Amino acid sequence: MQAATDVRATAIPSVTDALRAVESLLMRGGQRTARRNAWTSVLEDRRRARDRVEAQHVLEAVASRTSTAT
């Protein structure tokens, strides 16, 4: 019989984890926070833009239904 071997699962860091580690070495905390806040703003702007497009499609659909019904 073979002796039981100790198998350990080691998580391989993702690319995101690696980039964050490099970022933390290169940037001071304030710069990192500012960059993350800016990115959060970009994502929020994109979400609002999608919401506006969706609302416009709904309004156009309602308008076209109303105009054909009259």
Side-chain angles (χ1 to χ4, degrees):
M1 282 191 130
Q2 292 182 347
T5 57
D6 186 16
V7 177
R8 294 175 192 227
T10 304
I12 298 172
S14 68
V15 173
T16 303
D17 293 336
L19 289 174
R20 282 195 178 139
V22 169
E23 175 188 58
S24 68
L25 290 173
L26 298 176
M27 295 180 126
R28 293 189 303 267
Q31 290 174 324
R32 190 176 29 217
T33 300
R35 189 186 67 61
R36 287 193 182 143
N37 288 344
W39 182 244
T40 300
S41 294
V42 167
L43 295 177
E44 183 63 21
D45 288 346
R46 289 177 182 177
R47 185 195 62 77
R48 282 195 300 267
R50 281 192 304 269
D51 290 348
R52 278 193 303 273
V53 168
E54 183 179 333
Q56 177 145 4
H57 289 164
V58 169
L59 290 173
E60 289 171 354
V62 168
S64 68
R65 246 186 278 151
T66 304
S67 65
T68 58
T70 56

